Amino acid sequence: MKTLKLKVLSVAICLVLTLGIELAIRGFPYFVNLVEDFRGYDYESKIAKQYGWIGPKPGEILDPNYLVNTNGTTLYQLPKNELILLTVVDPGTGACKQTREQMLFLDENLQGKGVDRFIVCFSQKVSPSDLSEYVKSINLNTSSLSWTNGLESILPSIKAIVFPSHILIDSDGIVIKSFPGTSNEKLVRDRMAREVLRQVMVEKNRRSPHFY
């Protein structure tokens, strides 16, 4: 029993020494980021506090008849899955270029998962062709959609969001959930993107039939 206690004590001392060396080499922020990565990103607390930039509320509708691709085909007319993740951008903002890595992450991890994804712009100053060029410039595999029903018909909650933000809708355009998708810190943006993916897949699995 005494031998076991000595072994446990030795392991504990080694662990403390290792952490101390790591702390000295990497600095305190390294461990803070480790803890934050483990915790993920808590969208629920932001939604509970009713931040104005959080985006459309569940149940609001983004009419798929007015989201149009470069060929003039509406989202309503396109073949699609039951769930659609829209990433709302304004190509002129620096954040929409800065978050390219996180957009690529969502592209890669949603492929073949039964969830459609589109890059969407509600700004009347950005033409469908310009939006398509923006998507190509950051090497995304997804397609783009532009809002064609004028400024007055855009949901007030859309006008308040930060760019980029992500909105999960169903095939009828009914909002399921909104996610702000940017931050000045890359590590935070990475956590945000992983949490978007996690919650989208939770919703996908919840709606999928289970066979036993």
Side-chain angles (χ1 to χ4, degrees), residues 189-201:
R189 293 198 304 270
D190 289 346
R191 287 193 285 269
M192 294 169 106
R194 290 197 296 270
E195 185 62 14
V196 170
L197 176 65
R198 188 190 74 79
Q199 292 200 32
V200 168
M201 293 314 301

Side-chain angles (χ1 to χ4, degrees), residues 101 103-113 117 141:
E101 189 174 330
M103 291 190 192
L104 285 169
F105 169 83
L106 289 172
D107 256 16
E108 293 166 0
N109 285 278
L110 284 174
Q111 285 183 16
K113 299 292 178 62
R117 180 157 179 255
N141 291 320

Side-chain angles (χ1 to χ4, degrees), residues 67-75 78 118 128-129 143-146 148:
L67 288 168
V68 180
N69 67 15
T70 52
N71 296 321
T73 305
T74 68
L75 177 57
L78 289 171
F118 296 93
S129 59
S143 301
S144 58
L145 297 169
S146 298
T148 61

